[in-house]
Amino acid sequence: LGDLHEATAMMEGIVRDVPEADNFKTLAILLFKQDLHEASIRNFERCVQARPDHADCYCGMGNSLIKIGRDSEALAAYDEAVKVNPNEPGYLNNVGNLLVRHHRFNTTAQKYAIEVLSRAIALDGTYADGYFNLGEALSAVSLHSDAVDKIRAAMALDPSRIDYRCTLNLDLRKLCDWAEFDQYSRDLDAMWRNGVPPEMARTSKAVSTRKPGEAKSRVRDKEPSLCPNPLDALSYPLSLPSILNIASAHGEVSRRFVAQSAGAGALGALGGAQLGPTGRIRVGYVSIELRDRPVGKDMVHALSTLPRERVEIKCFSLNPSPREGVQGGDTLMWHRKMVDACDGNFFDVSGVSYSAAAARINEERPNILINLDGWTSAPLINEIFILQASPIQLNFKGFAGTLGIPEVHGLVSDRVVT
């Protein structure tokens, strides 16, 4: 890191004397490697201002924006890189990878991901990541047989990537193909029993991304992929140490993301809440399922049992509220029931960043905040709880033991569940 600091200071001097695009790019890369992403973005922006056709700077800008959770801006930057050089498979893969990771439940986005990733592997048939990401996009639109073919192609090109095998087994199960399940379950348990597998703990990996016609491959940093996720881990016959290690590893990824995107000082910065003038305990519930979903329907009845003279209820939805004329009558009916069950204290925090969601929750001053989802498809719910919008934070209902973060202090349970 000392060398990086010295190199950064040197490049800052060079940029002052020679404000050229490639110098801005070099400085931005040095800042990126130190997790100084806001400063990195500014210098990538200076790069493309100096040279608007600098595709690498659009690409680097997208990488930095991803690191701090600005996904829409990252996608726009990646698209600009593709416009400048539509024949670079790495740029196409960046677009597809972002769509696969951050818009998995958007069918239109996944169809576009399939299009750009297919172009990537057509340009470079040895591009393992391109095949793998294409497989994930195909899986997202339930084309599991095609997904298996692409993931197996990725595995043949890069046998060292154990996350490829993990994803393959998820798709095989969706096809009711259990031929590899028992052996993979044993291998998975052996990998995770003593902590993060070494193959997944490495922070970077050389991955070739060639421009067509280039004699020598370039390399780029590759973030480790932790697999399976804590929810999928519950579907394998794993030992408790393995399940705990998987949850803790994913929790640590969330904590690093918060530190990088909001600064280390953000951890625990929101503070607690005192009882209100009525003396009632304010209890907040956070979920993506506070609507016509199993958890939501159950909570409508569960909330009705709470003594209102002692408890004030706050509900925070990570799913957009349904709209008249768009969603069906049953969805709208359950939404109204949920709002009533929350005594009208129903807040839609789905359209904002995780930090803004945490701040909005904190404005309501909950004494206790309850995560109803566990580690599921809920967007950045771990990150919301890492910011500690409430002095006491608990897990209830959703997939106990999957969060893996110390900022959730306990579990609402019974002797059967625990």
Side-chain angles (χ1 to χ4, degrees):
L1 191 60
D3 291 341
L4 280 175
H5 287 155
E6 292 171 16
T8 301
M10 181 182 72
M11 280 308 305
E12 286 172 341
I14 292 172
V15 162
R16 282 192 295 270
D17 295 335
V18 188
E20 295 179 349
D22 282 335
N23 291 337
F24 290 128
K25 172 189 168 185
T26 301
L27 177 56
I29 292 171
L30 289 169
L31 293 164
F32 177 88
K33 290 182 176 180
Q34 298 168 72
D35 293 330
L36 299 172
H37 298 297
E38 296 284 0
S40 176
I41 291 164
R42 286 194 296 272
N43 281 281
F44 280 125
E45 288 173 340
R46 295 165 77 187
C47 172
V48 296
Q49 287 167 3
R51 211 180 99 194
D53 65 344
H54 205 309
D56 278 349
C57 283
Y58 284 115
C59 179
M61 190 190 310
N63 293 340
S64 286
L65 288 162
I66 282 285
K67 288 287 188 180
I68 57 175
R70 291 160 60 179
D71 304 334
S72 297
E73 294 169 78
L75 181 59
Y78 288 152
D79 278 334
E80 288 298 323
V82 170
K83 288 177 186 176
V84 173
N85 185 356
N87 295 319
E88 165 52 47
Y91 299 157
L92 292 164
N93 183 64
N94 284 339
V95 173
N97 183 49
L98 186 152
L99 293 170
V100 167
R101 301 283 172 266
H102 299 278
H103 299 275
R104 189 168 184 84
F105 302 101
N106 183 325
T107 301
T108 301
Q110 294 310 306
K111 288 180 178 178
Y112 181 49
I114 291 168
E115 176 190 330
V116 296
L117 291 165
S118 296
R119 286 163 56 195
I121 63 174
L123 287 164
D124 185 353
T126 67
Y127 196 12
D129 261 3
Y131 280 100
F132 175 67
N133 290 324
L134 178 55
E136 292 230 90
L138 290 163
S139 178
V141 295
S142 300
L143 296 174
H144 299 296
S145 184
D146 293 335
V148 166
D149 290 342
K150 300 305 180 188
I151 296 169
R152 287 199 189 279
M155 292 171 65
L157 290 165
D158 189 354
S160 68
R161 288 288 296 277
I162 58 177
D163 55 315
Y164 289 178
R165 187 184 175 202
C166 180
T167 303
L168 172 71
N169 275 270
L170 294 176
D171 277 293
L172 288 172
R173 286 160 53 187
K174 290 169 185 174
L175 293 169
C176 293
D177 183 342
W178 303 99
E180 301 178 29
F181 180 78
D182 289 341
Q183 183 59 53
Y184 182 66
S185 296
R186 290 190 290 271
D187 293 345
L188 198 61
D189 195 47
M191 279 192 291
W192 278 99
R193 186 180 291 270
N194 296 314
V196 180
E199 300 89 339
M200 296 186 189
R202 288 194 290 266
T203 57
S204 65
K205 175 178 171 29
V207 180
S208 62
T209 56
R210 293 185 296 105
K211 291 183 179 178
E214 280 189 340
K216 185 178 181 180
S217 296
R218 293 180 290 114
V219 296
R220 63 180 173 83
D221 285 341
K222 174 68 185 176
E223 292 293 331
S225 297
L226 298 176
C227 194
N229 66 50
L231 177 58
D232 289 332
L234 297 181
S235 64
Y236 292 99
L238 302 181
S239 62
L240 286 177
S242 292
I243 291 173
L244 176 61
N245 287 333
I246 290 168
S248 297
H250 281 269
E252 185 55 32
V253 169
S254 297
R255 300 189 89 252
R256 286 201 304 269
F257 176 77
V258 170
Q260 290 173 357
S261 61
L267 302 182
L270 290 179
Q274 301 298 317
L275 291 180
T278 64
R280 292 192 297 168
I281 298 172
R282 290 184 293 274
V283 181
Y285 297 87
V286 184
S287 177
I288 199 172
E289 297 219 336
L290 296 177
R291 50 182 300 164
D292 57 334
R293 300 282 297 159
V295 169
K297 291 178 178 180
D298 190 51
M299 286 305 296
V300 165
H301 302 290
L303 293 175
S304 68
T305 67
L306 295 177
R308 297 310 197 262
E309 70 277 8
R310 297 173 55 193
V311 178
E312 182 180 352
I313 298 168
K314 309 278 187 176
C315 298
F316 303 95
S317 175
L318 298 175
N319 218 332
S321 296
R323 292 178 293 164
E324 296 280 352
V326 178
Q327 273 80 25
D330 195 55
T331 297
L332 292 165
M333 177 194 71
W334 277 104
H335 175 66
R336 287 190 291 268
K337 286 186 175 183
M338 177 57 67
V339 173
D340 289 343
C342 298
D343 298 335
N345 297 319
F346 185 93
F347 307 95
D348 181 346
V349 292
S350 64
V352 298
S353 68
Y354 75 90
S355 55
R360 180 67 189 89
I361 292 169
N362 184 247
E363 287 176 7
E364 296 299 317
R365 313 307 284 170
N367 304 110
I368 301 171
L369 190 64
I370 297 177
N371 179 332
L372 293 174
D373 294 343
W375 203 104
T376 59
S377 59
L380 298 175
I381 194 166
N382 253 9
E383 287 77 358
I384 291 171
F385 277 75
I386 285 168
L387 288 176
Q388 298 183 80
S390 174
I392 300 174
Q393 302 190 139
L394 304 172
N395 180 207
F396 177 47
K397 284 194 177 293
F399 305 107
T402 60
L403 294 173
I405 54 173
E407 290 83 4
V408 172
H409 309 116
L411 177 69
V412 181
S413 182
D414 58 30
R415 293 181 179 179
V416 175
V417 173
T418 54

